[in-house]
PDB file of all heavy atoms in Angstrom:
ATOM      1  N   HIS A   1     101.458  89.417  80.558  1.00  0.00           N
ATOM      2  CA  HIS A   1     101.854  89.984  79.268  1.00  0.00           C
ATOM      3  C   HIS A   1     102.827  89.026  78.618  1.00  0.00           C
ATOM      4  O   HIS A   1     103.251  88.029  79.211  1.00  0.00           O
ATOM      5  CB  HIS A   1     102.546  91.360  79.483  1.00  0.00           C
ATOM      6  CG  HIS A   1     101.722  92.363  80.177  1.00  0.00           C
ATOM      7  ND1 HIS A   1     100.702  93.029  79.604  1.00  0.00           N
ATOM      8  CD2 HIS A   1     101.765  92.816  81.487  1.00  0.00           C
ATOM      9  CE1 HIS A   1     100.166  93.864  80.440  1.00  0.00           C
ATOM     10  NE2 HIS A   1     100.803  93.736  81.610  1.00  0.00           N
ATOM     11  N   LEU A   2     103.212  89.362  77.378  1.00  0.00           N
ATOM     12  CA  LEU A   2     104.274  88.612  76.749  1.00  0.00           C
ATOM     13  C   LEU A   2     105.582  88.867  77.526  1.00  0.00           C
ATOM     14  O   LEU A   2     106.022  89.991  77.554  1.00  0.00           O
ATOM     15  CB  LEU A   2     104.447  89.036  75.312  1.00  0.00           C
ATOM     16  CG  LEU A   2     105.567  88.326  74.540  1.00  0.00           C
ATOM     17  CD1 LEU A   2     105.264  86.826  74.378  1.00  0.00           C
ATOM     18  CD2 LEU A   2     105.727  88.960  73.150  1.00  0.00           C
ATOM     19  N   PRO A   3     106.106  87.858  78.209  1.00  0.00           N
ATOM     20  CA  PRO A   3     107.279  88.121  79.086  1.00  0.00           C
ATOM     21  C   PRO A   3     108.545  88.461  78.292  1.00  0.00           C
ATOM     22  O   PRO A   3     108.787  87.898  77.171  1.00  0.00           O
ATOM     23  CB  PRO A   3     107.457  86.788  79.848  1.00  0.00           C
ATOM     24  CG  PRO A   3     106.858  85.776  78.936  1.00  0.00           C
ATOM     25  CD  PRO A   3     105.707  86.459  78.251  1.00  0.00           C
ATOM     26  N   GLN A   4     109.309  89.423  78.812  1.00  0.00           N
ATOM     27  CA  GLN A   4     110.571  89.792  78.203  1.00  0.00           C
ATOM     28  C   GLN A   4     111.736  88.959  78.783  1.00  0.00           C
ATOM     29  O   GLN A   4     112.810  88.889  78.182  1.00  0.00           O
ATOM     30  CB  GLN A   4     110.837  91.275  78.424  1.00  0.00           C
ATOM     31  CG  GLN A   4     109.796  92.165  77.748  1.00  0.00           C
ATOM     32  CD  GLN A   4     110.076  93.672  77.948  1.00  0.00           C
ATOM     33  OE1 GLN A   4     111.215  94.040  78.172  1.00  0.00           O
ATOM     34  NE2 GLN A   4     109.059  94.483  77.847  1.00  0.00           N
ATOM     35  N   TYR A   5     111.516  88.414  79.970  1.00  0.00           N
ATOM     36  CA  TYR A   5     112.508  87.564  80.608  1.00  0.00           C
ATOM     37  C   TYR A   5     111.840  86.299  81.057  1.00  0.00           C
ATOM     38  O   TYR A   5     110.660  86.276  81.416  1.00  0.00           O
ATOM     39  CB  TYR A   5     113.153  88.254  81.819  1.00  0.00           C
ATOM     40  CG  TYR A   5     113.732  89.622  81.500  1.00  0.00           C
ATOM     41  CD1 TYR A   5     113.010  90.785  81.751  1.00  0.00           C
ATOM     42  CD2 TYR A   5     115.036  89.736  81.009  1.00  0.00           C
ATOM     43  CE1 TYR A   5     113.536  92.032  81.468  1.00  0.00           C
ATOM     44  CE2 TYR A   5     115.589  90.962  80.723  1.00  0.00           C
ATOM     45  CZ  TYR A   5     114.848  92.091  80.943  1.00  0.00           C
ATOM     46  OH  TYR A   5     115.403  93.311  80.677  1.00  0.00           O
ATOM     47  N   LYS A   6     112.567  85.190  81.049  1.00  0.00           N
ATOM     48  CA  LYS A   6     112.023  83.948  81.527  1.00  0.00           C
ATOM     49  C   LYS A   6     112.139  83.872  83.027  1.00  0.00           C
ATOM     50  O   LYS A   6     113.243  83.886  83.584  1.00  0.00           O
ATOM     51  CB  LYS A   6     112.770  82.738  80.913  1.00  0.00           C
ATOM     52  CG  LYS A   6     112.173  81.386  81.237  1.00  0.00           C
ATOM     53  CD  LYS A   6     112.857  80.266  80.518  1.00  0.00           C
ATOM     54  CE  LYS A   6     112.259  78.926  80.878  1.00  0.00           C
ATOM     55  NZ  LYS A   6     112.916  77.787  80.186  1.00  0.00           N
ATOM     56  N   ALA A   7     111.015  83.752  83.718  1.00  0.00           N
ATOM     57  CA  ALA A   7     111.022  83.670  85.180  1.00  0.00           C
ATOM     58  C   ALA A   7     111.566  82.338  85.651  1.00  0.00           C
ATOM     59  O   ALA A   7     111.243  81.261  85.123  1.00  0.00           O
ATOM     60  CB  ALA A   7     109.589  83.868  85.720  1.00  0.00           C
ATOM     61  N   GLN A   8     112.430  82.403  86.649  1.00  0.00           N
ATOM     62  CA  GLN A   8     112.998  81.209  87.254  1.00  0.00           C
ATOM     63  C   GLN A   8     112.398  81.017  88.664  1.00  0.00           C
ATOM     64  O   GLN A   8     111.704  81.901  89.139  1.00  0.00           O
ATOM     65  CB  GLN A   8     114.525  81.316  87.348  1.00  0.00           C
ATOM     66  CG  GLN A   8     115.190  81.476  85.993  1.00  0.00           C
ATOM     67  CD  GLN A   8     115.014  80.272  85.069  1.00  0.00           C
ATOM     68  OE1 GLN A   8     114.899  79.170  85.525  1.00  0.00           O
ATOM     69  NE2 GLN A   8     114.985  80.567  83.756  1.00  0.00           N
ATOM     70  N   LYS A   9     112.667  79.878  89.256  1.00  0.00           N
ATOM     71  CA  LYS A   9     112.086  79.573  90.561  1.00  0.00           C
ATOM     72  C   LYS A   9     112.438  80.617  91.605  1.00  0.00           C
ATOM     73  O   LYS A   9     111.599  81.047  92.403  1.00  0.00           O
ATOM     74  CB  LYS A   9     112.530  78.182  91.027  1.00  0.00           C
ATOM     75  CG  LYS A   9     111.874  77.755  92.332  1.00  0.00           C
ATOM     76  CD  LYS A   9     112.286  76.324  92.679  1.00  0.00           C
ATOM     77  CE  LYS A   9     111.622  75.866  93.964  1.00  0.00           C
ATOM     78  NZ  LYS A   9     111.958  74.441  94.281  1.00  0.00           N
ATOM     79  N   HIS A  10     113.692  81.015  91.614  1.00  0.00           N
ATOM     80  CA  HIS A  10     114.115  81.980  92.649  1.00  0.00           C
ATOM     81  C   HIS A  10     113.427  83.352  92.447  1.00  0.00           C
ATOM     82  O   HIS A  10     113.156  84.090  93.433  1.00  0.00           O
ATOM     83  CB  HIS A  10     115.635  82.139  92.723  1.00  0.00           C
ATOM     84  CG  HIS A  10     116.261  82.611  91.453  1.00  0.00           C
ATOM     85  ND1 HIS A  10     116.427  81.818  90.352  1.00  0.00           N
ATOM     86  CD2 HIS A  10     116.802  83.862  91.094  1.00  0.00           C
ATOM     87  CE1 HIS A  10     117.026  82.498  89.363  1.00  0.00           C
ATOM     88  NE2 HIS A  10     117.245  83.745  89.813  1.00  0.00           N
ATOM     89  N   HIS A  11     113.103  83.711  91.196  1.00  0.00           N
ATOM     90  CA  HIS A  11     112.355  84.929  90.963  1.00  0.00           C
ATOM     91  C   HIS A  11     110.951  84.775  91.543  1.00  0.00           C
ATOM     92  O   HIS A  11     110.430  85.719  92.164  1.00  0.00           O
ATOM     93  CB  HIS A  11     112.247  85.185  89.448  1.00  0.00           C
ATOM     94  CG  HIS A  11     113.529  85.466  88.752  1.00  0.00           C
ATOM     95  ND1 HIS A  11     113.842  84.885  87.565  1.00  0.00           N
ATOM     96  CD2 HIS A  11     114.599  86.199  89.107  1.00  0.00           C
ATOM     97  CE1 HIS A  11     115.039  85.258  87.180  1.00  0.00           C
ATOM     98  NE2 HIS A  11     115.513  86.086  88.123  1.00  0.00           N
ATOM     99  N   ALA A  12     110.321  83.643  91.262  1.00  0.00           N
ATOM    100  CA  ALA A  12     108.930  83.422  91.711  1.00  0.00           C
ATOM    101  C   ALA A  12     108.856  83.449  93.264  1.00  0.00           C
ATOM    102  O   ALA A  12     107.946  84.025  93.846  1.00  0.00           O
ATOM    103  CB  ALA A  12     108.401  82.139  91.164  1.00  0.00           C
ATOM    104  N   ILE A  13     109.809  82.731  93.921  1.00  0.00           N
ATOM    105  CA  ILE A  13     109.776  82.655  95.356  1.00  0.00           C
ATOM    106  C   ILE A  13     110.001  84.071  95.969  1.00  0.00           C
ATOM    107  O   ILE A  13     109.359  84.436  96.934  1.00  0.00           O
ATOM    108  CB  ILE A  13     110.853  81.674  95.881  1.00  0.00           C
ATOM    109  CG1 ILE A  13     110.440  80.236  95.541  1.00  0.00           C
ATOM    110  CG2 ILE A  13     111.061  81.790  97.390  1.00  0.00           C
ATOM    111  CD1 ILE A  13     111.430  79.203  95.948  1.00  0.00           C
ATOM    112  N   LEU A  14     110.918  84.831  95.342  1.00  0.00           N
ATOM    113  CA  LEU A  14     111.167  86.205  95.819  1.00  0.00           C
ATOM    114  C   LEU A  14     109.897  87.040  95.707  1.00  0.00           C
ATOM    115  O   LEU A  14     109.493  87.727  96.645  1.00  0.00           O
ATOM    116  CB  LEU A  14     112.289  86.843  95.010  1.00  0.00           C
ATOM    117  CG  LEU A  14     112.560  88.317  95.319  1.00  0.00           C
ATOM    118  CD1 LEU A  14     113.002  88.510  96.760  1.00  0.00           C
ATOM    119  CD2 LEU A  14     113.630  88.887  94.364  1.00  0.00           C
ATOM    120  N   ALA A  15     109.227  86.970  94.506  1.00  0.00           N
ATOM    121  CA  ALA A  15     108.025  87.773  94.300  1.00  0.00           C
ATOM    122  C   ALA A  15     106.886  87.382  95.270  1.00  0.00           C
ATOM    123  O   ALA A  15     106.251  88.232  95.839  1.00  0.00           O
ATOM    124  CB  ALA A  15     107.512  87.577  92.849  1.00  0.00           C
ATOM    125  N   VAL A  16     106.727  86.085  95.481  1.00  0.00           N
ATOM    126  CA  VAL A  16     105.667  85.608  96.374  1.00  0.00           C
ATOM    127  C   VAL A  16     105.988  85.961  97.856  1.00  0.00           C
ATOM    128  O   VAL A  16     105.109  86.464  98.571  1.00  0.00           O
ATOM    129  CB  VAL A  16     105.456  84.101  96.256  1.00  0.00           C
ATOM    130  CG1 VAL A  16     104.504  83.583  97.308  1.00  0.00           C
ATOM    131  CG2 VAL A  16     104.919  83.736  94.848  1.00  0.00           C
ATOM    132  N   ASN A  17     107.236  85.770  98.261  1.00  0.00           N
ATOM    133  CA  ASN A  17     107.618  86.144  99.625  1.00  0.00           C
ATOM    134  C   ASN A  17     107.451  87.644  99.876  1.00  0.00           C
ATOM    135  O   ASN A  17     106.970  88.038 100.939  1.00  0.00           O
ATOM    136  CB  ASN A  17     109.050  85.729  99.888  1.00  0.00           C
ATOM    137  CG  ASN A  17     109.133  84.305 100.397  1.00  0.00           C
ATOM    138  OD1 ASN A  17     108.181  83.721 100.906  1.00  0.00           O
ATOM    139  ND2 ASN A  17     110.313  83.652 100.217  1.00  0.00           N
ATOM    140  N   VAL A  18     107.866  88.444  98.935  1.00  0.00           N
ATOM    141  CA  VAL A  18     107.772  89.895  99.087  1.00  0.00           C
ATOM    142  C   VAL A  18     106.311  90.316  99.133  1.00  0.00           C
ATOM    143  O   VAL A  18     105.922  91.118  99.984  1.00  0.00           O
ATOM    144  CB  VAL A  18     108.468  90.591  97.880  1.00  0.00           C
ATOM    145  CG1 VAL A  18     108.057  92.051  97.827  1.00  0.00           C
ATOM    146  CG2 VAL A  18     109.992  90.529  98.054  1.00  0.00           C
ATOM    147  N   ALA A  19     105.478  89.733  98.263  1.00  0.00           N
ATOM    148  CA  ALA A  19     104.045  90.050  98.253  1.00  0.00           C
ATOM    149  C   ALA A  19     103.381  89.626  99.567  1.00  0.00           C
ATOM    150  O   ALA A  19     102.581  90.375 100.154  1.00  0.00           O
ATOM    151  CB  ALA A  19     103.359  89.391  97.088  1.00  0.00           C
ATOM    152  N   ASN A  20     103.748  88.452 100.077  1.00  0.00           N
ATOM    153  CA  ASN A  20     103.186  87.971 101.316  1.00  0.00           C
ATOM    154  C   ASN A  20     103.616  88.847 102.476  1.00  0.00           C
ATOM    155  O   ASN A  20     102.777  89.168 103.365  1.00  0.00           O
ATOM    156  CB  ASN A  20     103.621  86.532 101.590  1.00  0.00           C
ATOM    157  CG  ASN A  20     102.923  85.519 100.673  1.00  0.00           C
ATOM    158  OD1 ASN A  20     102.052  85.902  99.900  1.00  0.00           O
ATOM    159  ND2 ASN A  20     103.310  84.282 100.748  1.00  0.00           N
ATOM    160  N   THR A  21     104.874  89.231 102.529  1.00  0.00           N
ATOM    161  CA  THR A  21     105.364  90.076 103.639  1.00  0.00           C
ATOM    162  C   THR A  21     104.709  91.446 103.624  1.00  0.00           C
ATOM    163  O   THR A  21     104.265  91.955 104.633  1.00  0.00           O
ATOM    164  CB  THR A  21     106.890  90.241 103.510  1.00  0.00           C
ATOM    165  OG1 THR A  21     107.530  88.988 103.612  1.00  0.00           O
ATOM    166  CG2 THR A  21     107.427  91.143 104.619  1.00  0.00           C
ATOM    167  N   LEU A  22     104.624  92.040 102.394  1.00  0.00           N
ATOM    168  CA  LEU A  22     103.960  93.342 102.306  1.00  0.00           C
ATOM    169  C   LEU A  22     102.461  93.243 102.677  1.00  0.00           C
ATOM    170  O   LEU A  22     101.934  94.112 103.360  1.00  0.00           O
ATOM    171  CB  LEU A  22     104.134  93.883 100.883  1.00  0.00           C
ATOM    172  CG  LEU A  22     103.466  95.255 100.605  1.00  0.00           C
ATOM    173  CD1 LEU A  22     103.999  96.305 101.538  1.00  0.00           C
ATOM    174  CD2 LEU A  22     103.703  95.664  99.153  1.00  0.00           C
ATOM    175  N   SER A  23     101.821  92.179 102.223  1.00  0.00           N
ATOM    176  CA  SER A  23     100.388  91.981 102.533  1.00  0.00           C
ATOM    177  C   SER A  23     100.167  91.878 104.037  1.00  0.00           C
ATOM    178  O   SER A  23      99.282  92.503 104.587  1.00  0.00           O
ATOM    179  CB  SER A  23      99.874  90.714 101.854  1.00  0.00           C
ATOM    180  OG  SER A  23      99.891  90.817 100.468  1.00  0.00           O
ATOM    181  N   GLN A  24     101.021  91.116 104.716  1.00  0.00           N
ATOM    182  CA  GLN A  24     100.876  90.956 106.158  1.00  0.00           C
ATOM    183  C   GLN A  24     101.114  92.247 106.860  1.00  0.00           C
ATOM    184  O   GLN A  24     100.379  92.647 107.791  1.00  0.00           O
ATOM    185  CB  GLN A  24     101.883  89.914 106.654  1.00  0.00           C
ATOM    186  CG  GLN A  24     101.665  89.510 108.125  1.00  0.00           C
ATOM    187  CD  GLN A  24     100.354  88.729 108.258  1.00  0.00           C
ATOM    188  OE1 GLN A  24     100.230  87.656 107.744  1.00  0.00           O
ATOM    189  NE2 GLN A  24      99.412  89.338 108.946  1.00  0.00           N
ATOM    190  N   PHE A  25     102.095  93.054 106.441  1.00  0.00           N
ATOM    191  CA  PHE A  25     102.399  94.295 107.040  1.00  0.00           C
ATOM    192  C   PHE A  25     101.216  95.267 106.864  1.00  0.00           C
ATOM    193  O   PHE A  25     100.843  95.985 107.830  1.00  0.00           O
ATOM    194  CB  PHE A  25     103.675  94.942 106.440  1.00  0.00           C
ATOM    195  CG  PHE A  25     103.964  96.298 106.959  1.00  0.00           C
ATOM    196  CD1 PHE A  25     104.443  96.486 108.253  1.00  0.00           C
ATOM    197  CD2 PHE A  25     103.739  97.423 106.169  1.00  0.00           C
ATOM    198  CE1 PHE A  25     104.725  97.766 108.735  1.00  0.00           C
ATOM    199  CE2 PHE A  25     104.001  98.698 106.615  1.00  0.00           C
ATOM    200  CZ  PHE A  25     104.508  98.886 107.916  1.00  0.00           C
ATOM    201  N   LEU A  26     100.663  95.357 105.669  1.00  0.00           N
ATOM    202  CA  LEU A  26      99.550  96.251 105.435  1.00  0.00           C
ATOM    203  C   LEU A  26      98.323  95.863 106.238  1.00  0.00           C
ATOM    204  O   LEU A  26      97.620  96.721 106.796  1.00  0.00           O
ATOM    205  CB  LEU A  26      99.203  96.267 103.955  1.00  0.00           C
ATOM    206  CG  LEU A  26     100.298  96.874 103.016  1.00  0.00           C
ATOM    207  CD1 LEU A  26      99.850  96.766 101.607  1.00  0.00           C
ATOM    208  CD2 LEU A  26     100.558  98.321 103.389  1.00  0.00           C
ATOM    209  N   LEU A  27      98.037  94.570 106.304  1.00  0.00           N
ATOM    210  CA  LEU A  27      96.896  94.086 107.116  1.00  0.00           C
ATOM    211  C   LEU A  27      97.071  94.417 108.586  1.00  0.00           C
ATOM    212  O   LEU A  27      96.140  94.895 109.260  1.00  0.00           O
ATOM    213  CB  LEU A  27      96.683  92.603 106.908  1.00  0.00           C
ATOM    214  CG  LEU A  27      96.183  92.127 105.550  1.00  0.00           C
ATOM    215  CD1 LEU A  27      96.255  90.609 105.448  1.00  0.00           C
ATOM    216  CD2 LEU A  27      94.759  92.588 105.302  1.00  0.00           C
ATOM    217  N   ASP A  28      98.242  94.175 109.108  1.00  0.00           N
ATOM    218  CA  ASP A  28      98.548  94.439 110.538  1.00  0.00           C
ATOM    219  C   ASP A  28      98.503  95.919 110.788  1.00  0.00           C
ATOM    220  O   ASP A  28      98.001  96.360 111.864  1.00  0.00           O
ATOM    221  CB  ASP A  28      99.919  93.857 110.914  1.00  0.00           C
ATOM    222  CG  ASP A  28      99.964  92.345 110.915  1.00  0.00           C
ATOM    223  OD1 ASP A  28      98.860  91.726 110.904  1.00  0.00           O
ATOM    224  OD2 ASP A  28     101.097  91.789 110.927  1.00  0.00           O
ATOM    225  N   THR A  29      99.041  96.741 109.860  1.00  0.00           N
ATOM    226  CA  THR A  29      99.010  98.174 110.037  1.00  0.00           C
ATOM    227  C   THR A  29      97.577  98.697 110.031  1.00  0.00           C
ATOM    228  O   THR A  29      97.211  99.561 110.864  1.00  0.00           O
ATOM    229  CB  THR A  29      99.793  98.867 108.889  1.00  0.00           C
ATOM    230  OG1 THR A  29     101.192  98.428 108.951  1.00  0.00           O
ATOM    231  CG2 THR A  29      99.777 100.391 109.020  1.00  0.00           C
ATOM    232  N   TYR A  30      96.774  98.184 109.142  1.00  0.00           N
ATOM    233  CA  TYR A  30      95.375  98.615 109.079  1.00  0.00           C
ATOM    234  C   TYR A  30      94.652  98.297 110.396  1.00  0.00           C
ATOM    235  O   TYR A  30      93.955  99.146 110.959  1.00  0.00           O
ATOM    236  CB  TYR A  30      94.666  97.897 107.912  1.00  0.00           C
ATOM    237  CG  TYR A  30      93.175  97.962 108.005  1.00  0.00           C
ATOM    238  CD1 TYR A  30      92.483  99.198 107.956  1.00  0.00           C
ATOM    239  CD2 TYR A  30      92.402  96.826 108.173  1.00  0.00           C
ATOM    240  CE1 TYR A  30      91.082  99.267 108.082  1.00  0.00           C
ATOM    241  CE2 TYR A  30      91.039  96.861 108.284  1.00  0.00           C
ATOM    242  CZ  TYR A  30      90.376  98.083 108.243  1.00  0.00           C
ATOM    243  OH  TYR A  30      89.025  98.153 108.382  1.00  0.00           O
ATOM    244  N   GLN A  31      94.815  97.065 110.885  1.00  0.00           N
ATOM    245  CA  GLN A  31      94.154  96.650 112.154  1.00  0.00           C
ATOM    246  C   GLN A  31      94.618  97.524 113.327  1.00  0.00           C
ATOM    247  O   GLN A  31      93.860  97.971 114.163  1.00  0.00           O
ATOM    248  CB  GLN A  31      94.443  95.166 112.418  1.00  0.00           C
ATOM    249  CG  GLN A  31      93.851  94.205 111.449  1.00  0.00           C
ATOM    250  CD  GLN A  31      92.298  94.186 111.516  1.00  0.00           C
ATOM    251  OE1 GLN A  31      91.712  94.518 112.512  1.00  0.00           O
ATOM    252  NE2 GLN A  31      91.673  93.774 110.418  1.00  0.00           N
ATOM    253  N   TYR A  32      95.931  97.786 113.396  1.00  0.00           N
ATOM    254  CA  TYR A  32      96.505  98.600 114.469  1.00  0.00           C
ATOM    255  C   TYR A  32      95.968 100.009 114.451  1.00  0.00           C
ATOM    256  O   TYR A  32      95.549 100.549 115.439  1.00  0.00           O
ATOM    257  CB  TYR A  32      98.049  98.594 114.303  1.00  0.00           C
ATOM    258  CG  TYR A  32      98.766  99.465 115.299  1.00  0.00           C
ATOM    259  CD1 TYR A  32      99.143  98.968 116.550  1.00  0.00           C
ATOM    260  CD2 TYR A  32      99.100 100.769 115.010  1.00  0.00           C
ATOM    261  CE1 TYR A  32      99.803  99.779 117.492  1.00  0.00           C
ATOM    262  CE2 TYR A  32      99.768 101.583 115.897  1.00  0.00           C
ATOM    263  CZ  TYR A  32     100.116 101.064 117.136  1.00  0.00           C
ATOM    264  OH  TYR A  32     100.748 101.878 118.048  1.00  0.00           O
TER     265      TYR A  32
END
């Protein structure tokens, strides 16, 4: 969308890390 805030590197790394962690947890939970 048209961004309301300018994303910085630390925002991007946080978003990607959080998404990766949640993805891994959901995949592992599903397999378990």
Side-chain angles (χ1 to χ4, degrees):
H1 303 284
L2 178 64
Q4 297 182 24
Y5 304 97
K6 185 176 180 180
Q8 302 296 329
K9 184 176 182 178
H10 59 285
H11 296 136
I13 290 178
L14 174 62
V16 172
N17 273 338
V18 165
N20 288 354
T21 299
L22 179 58
S23 296
Q24 191 66 66
F25 175 74
L26 293 177
L27 290 171
D28 291 345
T29 299
Y30 164 63
Q31 294 293 336
Y32 176 87

